[in-house]
Amino acid sequence: MNAPLEGYNFAYLDEATKRMLRRTILKAVAIPGHQIPFGAREMPLPYGWGTGGIQVTAAILGPADTLKVIDQGADDTTNAISIRRFFTRVAGVATTERTAEATIIQTRHRIPEAPLRENQVLVYQVPQPEPLSKLEPRRAETKRLHALADYGLMHVRLYEDIARLGHIAKAYDYPVMVGGRYLMSPSPIPAFDNPKMHRMAALQLFGAGREKRIYAIPPYTDVRSLDFEDHPFRPIRAPQDCALCGSRESYLDEVITDDRGGRLFVCSDTDYCGERVAARGAAAC
Amino acid sequence: MLTAEGLTLHFGVIPALVDVAIEVAEGEVVAIVGESGSGKTTLLRVLSGLMAPDAGSVRWLGADVHAMGEAARRRLMRTDWGFVHQNPRDGLRLNVSAGGNVGERLMAVGARHYGNIRAQAIEWLARVEVDATRIDDLPRTFSGGMQQRLQIARTLVTNPRLVFMDEPTGGLDVSVQARLLDLIRTLSRELGLSVLIVTHDIAAARLLADRILVMRRGRVVEQGLTDRVLDDPQHPYTQLLVSSVLAA
Amino acid sequence: MYVAVKGGERAISAAHAWLDETRRGDPAVPELTVAQVEQQMPLAVDRVMAEGSCHDRFLAALAIKQAKGDLIEAAFLLRAYRTTLPRFGASAPLETGAMRLRRRISATYKDLPGGQVLGPTFDYTHRLLDFALAAEGTERATAPEADAPVPAVPRVTELLAREGLMQREDPGDGEPGDLTREPLAFPAARDVRLQNLARGDEGFVLALGYSTQRGYGGNHPFVGEIRVGHVAVEFTPPELGFPIEIGEIAVTECQMVNQFKGSRTEPPQFTRGYGLVFGHGERRAMAMALVDRALRSAELGEDVTAPAQDQEFVLYHSDNIEATGFVEHLKLPHYVDFQSELENLRTIRAALVRESLREAAE
């Protein structure tokens, strides 16, 4: 473990702020899917770049934790590196790129392919916590709609998609019902990842810094993607195999290889892909 | 089914409602008539729970409408009750297709089968005489009369028992008005609906209503069976209202 | 075979090194000192203190130097530093009536107790580029000094209030709200609205204030008074139980006088739009006062129709640190979401093609 940065508290935030965050997190866990307002602090990283996730991680991080940070499923994307470096600097905790070794995984836009375990926490960075924001911009009104569980409007939106396009056109940030009560934004993960949230063994925490909301899904909670009985939710992925590990199950990134339309598809989850390639290499030896 | 007693409401020093009592029975069409400013729209808003009175009570099947929580009142508004606004823009979502507008109430009460929702929307468009091929069009491309018929379809699709209507034919051409009144009369008879309709149009009241209440300055000055009130008005104000229609 | 792009860590380090190099610029030119920024760009320092929500000229000047003159970036640096400071409590309300004045003007009275004091202002200067400033080492400019300092003078709005013509403000009880500790909730009370505007983006608040003048929710404002100067900050430490002066800060206060038709409970009278900001920031204080008054529309029983009167619209979008972060986050990778949109679009288009082929076949 490295020594934390001189002049700053462990994990940057002072202990009183961390207590405030933990109280908010407990409340969020107690009311699955419900957005809890909190006094988000100004962080040394910009709003919209993960300040909510960083504050949640800072609040739950202990010296014995092992942290993994991913963006678009990958550990080596620039913003993931920047956040991982931040916690190395201010908390000195161990970091890893291996999903299985991490106790806390902070993520932007993906859920790892490998199933998570009970002693892991998945922290999502959330740009817009309000699933109804596109339909009703006023928070005073959306708060009322949540209180009354008045979600007909969301279904109207899905109805309109089917009427116009033949199927529900929401490809990411696909709204879910948590515990049969609260409509929730899963953050901009691809709809492909939604089923992984359902009855997940790990605790899922969501932090929105700019919008100053925290919400949570406790382990083993029901999470259903909104749909119609005759138009059930269907996660989509590119129909190709991963060019590196050959996976037909994982979510793929499309990579443009030249300017003549050449392209190939590789796993977005770099750890998952790497493990599979390594296993194949070991088998070949 | 709907019973109100002692309704009183002031806007500052202006009395909007003074000790108003009203009752609507199952399958009954009741019209509230009066000039603008007589308090009839305010009465409708108080009866439908949109506005709280200073004193008095409104009961639906025995339950106090203003004492129930907002959640219960909203549920009532999308199940047993319906509200048809004067301006269809207040009762429709203009950026949602005609089918979506009709389907919204079904989805709000739990319908989750797209095919069934759509089939019911098509059926209801037919009942209000809107061409079914317009189902995916936005209401803003509809004429005023069509918008109003769409609003009625959207309200009736969940089979409410009582529908509040606030000047439903206001702002429409005379020929369009007649067709709409005819539609409302047919549907309310077929469905056995109770209707509470506010109008300044005595002819509309005569066509639709079983009973009439005449309002003036926040008070009910006369009420009774439609034919009796219009053919043999007792109160001078009613006489004036009826004669002005005859003169016109 | 394809190999995924690696080396993000090295790229970031190199980019930061380059940033440091460009900050220094041509090494043949002497390095700018923090003291120079603080002394010679005082209005930039004032803006960064206001938007950074932290009254410290040295830190603001340092932030400006570090941010290469990008004032929003500088305010961001100051805010991030401010977060780590402990909060001791709330000061007593500033007594701006006792301000040590540098400038004080009123547009509602030609003359008034204390007089009009222009102070160091750009007003009435001709905006001609002064090439003499391009030559360095010129004599230090000096201004003639009055015999006596400007005395503390009563506020203009107080003169009106004594006559009963200006609505009195509710003094409130207890500490004002603090946005940096508690999130916004709606409807937002005036203390929180004022805090939000005081640290809001100058351009945004200015444009909103301007929009009220052009008919989007306006109501004939007059500048009752603008005053710029220093006021004492008093704080009551719990262990003492009485207020002590802990220092002085520079502020600008603007009180706008607005018409009000009266309501059921209140007679017709003037109402106040209020602006108070760190440092010398007249434009900011005036715009703030216009928007403050516009945001009071609902509680004064006026129609809420214009953007500047809409609490959620104004208060959720005034903070330039939030705004710049979220706008600029669009340059972060979004390829996962984009990929799902791509697949979605391909699926829809494939279905359309199948349909048209079937129709053609029939």
Side-chain angles (χ1 to χ4, degrees):
Chain A
M1 192 176 115
N2 310 309
L5 191 64
E6 191 103 5
Y8 288 91
N9 193 30
F10 176 80
Y12 190 74
L13 296 170
D14 62 280
E15 293 303 314
T17 298
K18 285 197 217 166
R19 269 198 295 278
M20 177 275 294
L21 283 161
R22 288 176 199 140
R23 278 196 297 270
T24 309
I25 291 169
L26 287 174
K27 208 165 164 185
V29 170
I31 316 172
H34 177 52
Q35 304 164 47
I36 315 289
F38 77 109
R41 301 296 193 250
E42 322 262 9
M43 299 302 283
L45 279 80
Y47 284 112
W49 299 52
T51 53
I54 292 169
Q55 288 180 74
V56 169
T57 299
I60 61 172
L61 194 66
D65 274 309
T66 302
L67 180 69
K68 170 180 165 85
V69 183
I70 51 174
D71 186 344
Q72 315 296 305
D75 301 86
D76 59 350
T77 33
T78 44
N79 201 46
I81 292 169
S82 163
I83 292 170
R84 193 165 53 239
R85 270 191 178 183
F86 174 72
F87 279 113
T88 312
R89 251 175 109 179
V90 299
V93 293
T95 60
T96 181
E97 297 194 359
R98 307 276 297 273
T99 301
E101 286 172 5
T103 54
I104 299 174
I105 302 171
Q106 179 168 330
T107 179
R108 176 168 173 267
H109 294 193
R110 276 309 311 274
I111 298 176
E113 302 291 356
L116 300 184
R117 298 183 316 266
E118 278 181 5
N119 57 356
Q120 293 180 307
V121 182
L122 184 59
V123 178
Y124 296 76
Q125 301 171 200
V126 181
Q128 177 50 266
E130 179 49 69
L132 298 164
S133 69
K134 291 266 162 55
L135 306 169
E136 171 54 65
R138 272 156 218 288
R139 292 304 176 273
E141 181 58 21
T142 55
K143 214 171 135 187
R144 181 186 300 264
L145 294 175
H146 283 295
L148 299 168
D150 189 349
Y151 298 134
L153 202 55
M154 193 77 230
H155 269 98
V156 171
R157 152 102 209 252
L158 302 183
Y159 167 94
E160 293 285 287
D161 276 357
I162 302 176
R164 269 187 309 122
L165 305 166
H167 71 108
I168 295 169
K170 202 121 173 82
Y172 60 93
D173 202 356
Y174 190 108
V176 293
M177 282 299 284
V178 178
R181 172 59 181 85
Y182 282 99
L183 184 71
M184 191 195 89
S185 155
S187 88
I189 57 171
F192 173 84
D193 280 342
N194 273 19
K196 296 179 189 153
M197 309 178 90
H198 180 57
R199 303 192 64 76
M200 185 191 277
L203 171 64
Q204 304 176 71
L205 299 176
F206 299 77
R210 189 179 41 79
E211 297 281 340
K212 302 172 180 59
R213 297 287 187 276
I214 286 174
Y215 51 101
I217 305 175
Y220 303 111
T221 302
D222 282 354
V223 179
R224 303 277 180 200
S225 303
L226 291 193
D227 61 1
F228 288 97
E229 288 153 19
D230 48 343
H231 285 264
F233 171 80
R234 260 185 324 151
I236 25 177
R237 70 187 279 279
Q240 283 78 1
D241 303 348
C242 171
L244 299 179
C245 75
S247 171
R248 290 173 185 184
E249 288 83 40
S250 71
Y251 193 78
L252 301 175
D253 282 343
E254 182 168 337
V255 183
I256 308 288
T257 49
D258 55 42
D259 55 3
R260 298 177 306 276
R263 59 170 59 101
L264 53 81
F265 291 81
V266 294
C267 290
S268 133
D269 183 337
T270 45
D271 175 56
Y272 170 85
C273 195
E275 298 265 314
R276 282 173 55 91
V277 170
R280 208 166 51 183
C285 288
Chain B
M1 292 199 291
L2 187 76
T3 321
E5 292 169 338
L7 294 179
T8 300
L9 179 64
H10 288 261
F11 293 133
V13 293
I14 304 158
L17 296 177
V18 184
D19 196 22
V20 173
I22 187 171
E23 203 163 322
V24 182
E26 185 146 16
E28 189 180 32
V29 178
V30 178
I32 305 170
V33 301
E35 296 168 308
S36 55
S38 62
K40 54 190 194 305
T41 294
T42 303
L43 177 59
L44 199 69
R45 291 177 64 80
V46 169
L47 290 174
S48 60
L50 293 174
M51 196 186 266
D54 294 340
S57 69
V58 180
R59 292 180 180 280
W60 169 252
L61 304 174
D64 188 332
V65 169
H66 291 281
M68 62 177 71
E70 191 183 346
R73 203 156 54 235
R74 280 202 180 197
R75 200 175 313 119
L76 193 58
M77 200 45 120
R78 52 180 195 238
T79 52
D80 275 0
W81 288 4
F83 201 112
V84 175
H85 297 262
Q86 172 173 5
N87 188 341
R89 279 156 208 279
D90 297 330
L92 293 175
R93 292 189 190 282
L94 296 185
N95 55 352
V96 166
S97 70
N101 264 288
V102 178
E104 179 174 356
R105 266 174 78 103
L106 292 170
M107 290 183 259
V109 296
R112 294 290 179 266
H113 190 285
Y114 174 83
N116 293 349
I117 292 167
R118 200 161 167 85
Q120 288 198 60
I122 288 171
E123 183 196 326
W124 269 99
L125 289 179
R127 289 185 84 157
V128 300
E129 299 163 21
V130 171
D131 183 356
T133 60
R134 303 292 303 270
I135 188 170
D136 294 329
D137 293 349
L138 295 181
R140 70 165 69 96
T141 64
F142 288 12
S143 69
M146 273 173 79
Q147 287 183 355
Q148 203 56 301
R149 278 179 277 134
L150 180 62
Q151 195 193 171
I152 289 170
R154 167 185 162 92
T155 308
L156 296 186
V157 67
T158 48
N159 297 315
R161 303 168 71 182
L162 171 64
V163 177
F164 299 92
M165 296 190 179
D166 185 7
E167 304 271 12
T169 58
L172 297 176
D173 294 342
V174 179
S175 61
V176 180
Q177 282 189 16
R179 187 172 166 204
L180 190 66
L181 287 171
D182 201 44
L183 178 73
I184 293 172
R185 187 169 63 166
T186 312
L187 287 174
S188 62
R189 296 242 169 102
E190 277 176 13
L191 302 168
L193 269 185
S194 301
V195 178
L196 190 59
I197 181 169
V198 156
T199 179
H200 67 279
D201 182 353
I202 300 289
R206 186 191 283 281
L207 184 71
L208 293 176
D210 303 312
R211 274 194 309 125
I212 284 187
L213 276 80
V214 182
M215 284 194 77
R216 184 182 187 221
R217 292 187 190 156
R219 293 171 195 273
V220 177
V221 296
E222 181 163 1
Q223 60 174 308
L225 293 174
T226 304
D227 294 345
R228 206 283 293 151
V229 172
L230 296 185
D231 297 339
D232 181 20
Q234 303 295 306
H235 193 278
Y237 178 70
T238 317
Q239 293 166 358
L240 194 71
L241 269 186
V242 173
S243 65
S244 66
V245 175
L246 295 175
Chain C
M1 186 178 139
Y2 173 74
V3 180
V5 192
K6 291 271 177 193
E9 192 122 11
R10 263 182 38 233
I12 292 178
S13 298
H16 290 175
W18 198 356
L19 176 75
D20 292 339
E21 197 179 306
T22 57
R23 176 186 301 113
R24 179 61 184 84
D26 182 350
V29 177
E31 184 181 349
L32 189 63
T33 67
V34 173
Q36 283 170 341
V37 176
E38 185 190 332
Q39 288 299 313
Q40 297 173 35
M41 296 193 146
L43 297 183
V45 169
D46 286 342
R47 177 168 181 182
V48 169
M49 290 198 308
E51 290 171 5
S53 236
C54 181
H55 194 290
D56 188 312
R57 304 196 72 80
F58 170 77
L59 291 178
L62 174 62
I64 292 169
K65 178 176 177 180
Q66 186 178 334
K68 299 168 54 178
D70 178 337
L71 298 189
I72 293 183
E73 178 70 22
F76 181 11
L77 288 167
L78 196 54
R79 289 243 196 125
Y81 179 76
R82 181 189 184 281
T83 303
T84 65
L85 302 175
R87 186 184 198 273
F88 295 117
S91 75
L94 298 182
E95 181 45 82
T96 53
M99 186 183 286
R100 198 153 61 74
L101 293 169
R102 298 180 75 187
R103 171 167 166 81
R104 185 274 190 127
I105 54 165
S106 168
T108 51
Y109 295 100
K110 184 169 185 212
D111 200 5
L112 65 167
Q116 311 260 14
V117 181
L118 286 186
T121 177
F122 288 120
D123 297 352
Y124 318 113
T125 62
H126 296 148
R127 269 63 169 204
L128 303 171
L129 275 178
D130 181 357
F131 292 100
L133 287 174
E136 283 165 39
T138 45
E139 289 266 310
R140 178 172 183 268
T142 51
E145 266 182 59
D147 300 332
V150 187
V153 295
R155 283 171 298 207
V156 171
T157 47
E158 188 50 36
L159 304 175
L160 287 168
R162 276 183 214 156
E163 250 190 282
L165 295 177
M166 169 61 81
Q167 191 184 43
R168 289 276 180 194
E169 305 299 342
D170 174 13
D173 41 0
E175 275 188 24
D178 183 355
L179 283 174
T180 67
R181 301 280 140 176
E182 294 294 328
L184 269 174
F186 290 94
R190 195 163 176 214
D191 51 351
V192 169
R193 303 198 305 247
L194 288 170
Q195 185 193 12
N196 176 288
L197 294 174
R199 49 189 240 140
D201 181 71
E202 183 164 315
F204 180 77
V205 180
L206 175 67
L208 280 173
Y210 176 48
S211 72
T212 69
Q213 290 180 281
R214 291 193 65 261
Y216 289 84
N219 56 15
H220 282 276
F222 296 95
V223 171
E225 184 177 27
I226 293 170
R227 47 173 65 202
V228 184
H230 290 81
V231 285
V233 179
E234 292 193 334
F235 181 71
T236 305
E239 52 272 52
L240 284 184
F242 55 86
I244 54 167
E245 189 178 319
I246 55 174
E248 250 191 357
I249 60 171
V251 295
T252 303
E253 181 186 59
C254 172
Q255 302 219 32
M256 292 272 186
V257 179
N258 296 266
Q259 293 168 351
F260 176 51
K261 289 197 287 286
S263 70
R264 259 207 284 154
T265 50
E266 288 193 79
Q269 57 190 326
F270 290 123
T271 53
R272 193 183 327 238
Y274 188 76
L276 181 75
V277 301
F278 284 158
H280 189 165
E282 248 166 87
R283 180 191 301 129
R284 163 186 294 277
M286 292 174 76
M288 174 177 169
L290 289 174
V291 178
D292 169 51
R293 178 60 184 76
L295 288 175
R296 299 181 64 198
S297 298
E299 61 210 36
L300 292 171
E302 298 164 350
D303 290 340
V304 175
T305 52
Q309 297 169 316
D310 184 328
Q311 281 199 12
E312 288 208 24
F313 181 80
V314 173
L315 302 182
Y316 267 141
H317 301 118
S318 60
D319 192 299
N320 57 17
I321 311 301
E322 288 176 6
T324 197
F326 200 51
V327 167
E328 293 195 48
H329 108 284
L330 291 174
K331 65 195 169 193
L332 289 180
H334 281 80
Y335 29 80
V336 164
D337 294 348
F338 185 71
Q339 181 62 34
S340 55
E341 286 284 41
L342 262 180
E343 285 310 319
N344 195 20
L345 195 60
R346 283 176 182 147
T347 312
I348 294 169
R349 288 174 64 102
L352 286 177
V353 168
R354 274 199 304 277
E355 204 166 298
S356 58
L357 284 177
R358 197 170 52 234
E359 275 170 18
E362 278 167 6

